[in-house]
């Protein structure tokens, strides 16, 4: 049986900005104004409300109340993206989710009650999830989607599970909670029909003629008298989450909180699509101050060693990556994008407590790469090449190690090689070195300008205290070439 | 009486003053003579080991290779931080090391190297973290020691020749030198009693022997005019 949960976000227009900062950092009065003329306050945070700012007030009036009010213009696109993100998150609870703009997400949880241990537990998770993402939410639960929406708007917290109970619960609700054109609204008011119960009591045919077919259908759908098909929400094929900061941030530490929010959104999206991220990009947009008009955004791409959708892992590497970013100007907005993803199967939960998966931690190498850069992390591979300096291939980044050649050099090689062979000069004139083995002639590379012709020896230093790999350069004749130190038998 | 005591004396919870301190399972070094003098019979898997070198090129890295090979075979990562020279892949592969497990970290800034070392020591999947760093700051070393303990990682802090050898907090300190053609391991500090004599190890069967007499020397090198 269908059971719809409506998640209503009454302060969504405020939350899309405010969630970028931790509540502690955002203690200043902050409000969002509409884009109509003259602009009015759409939503205000607690500090602004304390200062006397209310919804519907003129912005000019609000500014007169507090001089330090931070004001942003309402961003409908960001609100829609937020609803998309929330709907993506609810897919973790049910496959049937839909968005009701401008402020609500509906989810049919009828089929997932048992999986989540009953309605109370599921509601608790839904109710705590939204604040964790930075949204203030209100729940409404009813057997029909329209009724769930109405209950959420009416702040009727008690879930209604039976369709038979609906008429009694909906009866006292004001009709203003319904979505309908302004004309219908005023017509109903003029006719003295103000509550849901009164509307239900009207003769159907007459009501349909006077107030429109849609109105009657809406009432019928709320009561479950006619089916209410909804198009199920599908998560977007690509993830691009962005956050606009209420006020520009000057230092990188202030961004951490917002980045964490975006990482969580990304993890929810990956979860909904059963994917793991391979490459992500964080883009920081800078304030458009006069002197920085042409400043390009700071882009921090990052690749992961293995596909993941763990929030801890993703945030762990992004935090290190952020530590390397130098901000040329204050940051106004940030965007997190997934550039490459790959299917990633879910993990089975442990049977016994303490049997669960290991504590998630960003793997070491990802963290090192994030902080020090790809260049700093080398891996070594064998290369089929006679020249000793080219027999070790250095692999950087995430490239796979090339397959090992079939054979290794038959003779002994030192563990350390010098970056550049070091001329031994007249060292031998003062005290002779003792050759243990050699010569091993290596003559190669005439085709690529790396021509060498060397006689290698394993030799002890004159005092016998250390063993090195030295060669005599034979490019200019075999006797009389210079001696070089090339390796150390560490 | 002695017979009755015997089973008690081998109990791991009982420590006798004349013995090495009981240790959690250590990593066999591959050299029986060395294992015999190391607490826990091998390299400590949860602590920092400090190794001082008289010279480079005496087999110092070969001393650690058997243990690294084992770790790599068990799919534990090996991280080398700021090595003084370029590691040579054919030599490592010839020793049996799985190169896919080895990561070499090169840092421009010493702070980054220290950070990387600490991260590696702390990482549970990392089996061994070697660093060639000239750090002597006690607080830093203690931090590294804690990281190694938390991450169950064998950490080695290499001291290049000529570096000041001040006493540090590392629970195991070794000094390596070549004596009579062999690698001599002086145990400067360990958990348990002091060790008076160095352990001499013959490292590599493949290394050609050092000529004994002048007549055996295939070729003595002199500067040729």
């Amino acid at each position: 049986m269908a059971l719809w949960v409506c998640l209503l976000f009454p302060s969504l227009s405020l939350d899309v900005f405010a969630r970028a900062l931790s509540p502690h950092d955002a203690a200043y009065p902050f409000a969002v104004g509409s884009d109509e003329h003259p602009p009015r306050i759409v939503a205000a945070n607690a500090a602004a409300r304390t200062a006397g700012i209310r919804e519907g007030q003129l912005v000019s009036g609000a500014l007169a109340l507090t001089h330090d009010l931070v004001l942003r213009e309402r961003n409908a696109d960001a609100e829609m993206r937020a609803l998309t993100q929330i709907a993506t998150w609810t897919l973790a609870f049910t496959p049937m989710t839909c968005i009701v703009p401008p402020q609500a997400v509906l989810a049919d949880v009828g089929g997932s009650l048992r999986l989540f241990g009953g309605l109370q537990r599921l509601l608790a998770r839904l109710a705590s999830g939204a604040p964790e993402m930075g949204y203030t939410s209100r729940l409404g639960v009813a057997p029909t989607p329209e009724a769930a929406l109405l209950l959420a708007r009416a702040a009727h917290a008690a879930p209604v599970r039976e369709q038979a109970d609906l008429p009694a619960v909906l009866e006292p609700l004001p009709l203003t909670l319904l979505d309908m054109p302004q004309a219908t609204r005023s017509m109903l008011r003029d006719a003295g029909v103000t509550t849901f119960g009164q509307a239900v009591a009207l003769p159907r045919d007459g009501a349909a003629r006077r107030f429109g077919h849609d109105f009657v259908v809406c009432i019928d759908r709320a009561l479950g008298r006619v089916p209410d098909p909804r198009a199920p929400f599908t998560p977007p094929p690509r993830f691009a989450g962005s956050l606009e900061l209420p006020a520009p941030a000057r230092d990188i530490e202030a961004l951490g909180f917002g980045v964490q929010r975006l990482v969580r959104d990304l993890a929810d999206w990956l979860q909904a699509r059963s994917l793991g991220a391979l490459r992500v990009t964080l883009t920081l947009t800078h304030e458009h101050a006069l002197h920085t008009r042409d400043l390009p955004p700071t882009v921090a791409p990052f690749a992961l060693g293995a596909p993941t959708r763990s929030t801890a892992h993703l945030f762990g590497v992004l935090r290190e990556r952020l530590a390397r970013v130098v901000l040329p100007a204050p940051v106004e907005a940030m965007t997190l994008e997934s550039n490459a993803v790959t299917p990633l199967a879910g993990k089975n939960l442990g049977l016994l407590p303490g049997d669960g998966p290991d504590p998630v931690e960003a793997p070491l190498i990802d963290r090192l790469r994030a902080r020090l850069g790809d260049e700093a992390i080398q891996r070594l591979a064998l290369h089929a090449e006679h020249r000793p300096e080219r027999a070790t291939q250095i692999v950087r980044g995430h490239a796979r190690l090339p397959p090992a050649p079939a054979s290794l050099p038959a003779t002994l090689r030192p563990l350390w090689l010098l970056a550049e062979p070091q001329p031994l000069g007249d060292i031998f004139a003062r005290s002779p070195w003792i050759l243990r083995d050699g010569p091993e002639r290596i003559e190669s590379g005439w085709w690529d300008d790396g021509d060498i012709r060397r006689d290698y020896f394993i030799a002890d230093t004159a005092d016998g205290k250390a063993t090195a790999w030295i060669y005599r350069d034979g490019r200019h004749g075999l006797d009389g070439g210079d001696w070089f130190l090339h390796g150390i038998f560490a | 009486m002695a017979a009755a005591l015997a089973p008690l004396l081998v109990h791991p919870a009982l420590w006798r003053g004349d013995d090495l301190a009981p240790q959690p399972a250590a990593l066999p070094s591959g050299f029986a003579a060395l294992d015999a003098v190391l607490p826990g019979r091998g390299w400590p898997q949860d602590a920092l080991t400090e190794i001082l070198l008289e010279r480079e090129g005496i087999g110092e890295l070969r001393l650690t290779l058997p243990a690294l090979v084992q770790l790599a075979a068990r799919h534990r990562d090996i991280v080398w931080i700021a090595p003084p020279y370029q590691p040579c892949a054919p030599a490592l592969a010839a020793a049996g090391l799985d190169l896919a497990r080895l990561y070499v970290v090169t840092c421009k800034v010493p702070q980054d190297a220290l950070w990387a070392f600490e991260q590696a020591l702390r990482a549970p999947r990392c089996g061994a973290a070697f660093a060639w760093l000239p750090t002597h700051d006690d607080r830093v070393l203690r931090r590294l020691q804690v990281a190694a303990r938390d991450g169950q990682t064998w950490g080695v802090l290499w001291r290049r020749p000529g570096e000041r050898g001040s006493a540090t907090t590392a629970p195991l300190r070794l000094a390596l030198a070549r004596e009579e053609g062999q690698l001599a391991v002086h145990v400067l500090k360990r958990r348990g009693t002091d060790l008076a004599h160095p352990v001499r190890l013959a490292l590599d069967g493949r290394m050609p022997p050092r000529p004994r007499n002048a007549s055996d020397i295939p070729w003595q090198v002199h500067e040729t005019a």
Side-chain angles (χ1 to χ4, degrees), chain A residues 350-369:
Chain A
L351 174 64
L352 302 170
D355 189 40
D358 292 336
V360 192
E361 209 200 343
L364 170 69
I365 304 305
D366 275 352
R367 257 178 303 142
L368 294 180
R369 281 207 179 99

Side-chain angles (χ1 to χ4, degrees), chain A residues 176-195:
Chain A
T176 47
L177 297 176
L178 284 174
D179 291 314
M180 53 190 157
Q182 193 57 46
T184 316
R185 213 178 274 273
S186 46
M187 235 189 302
L188 282 164
R189 198 179 54 225
D190 294 347
V193 181
T194 53
T195 67

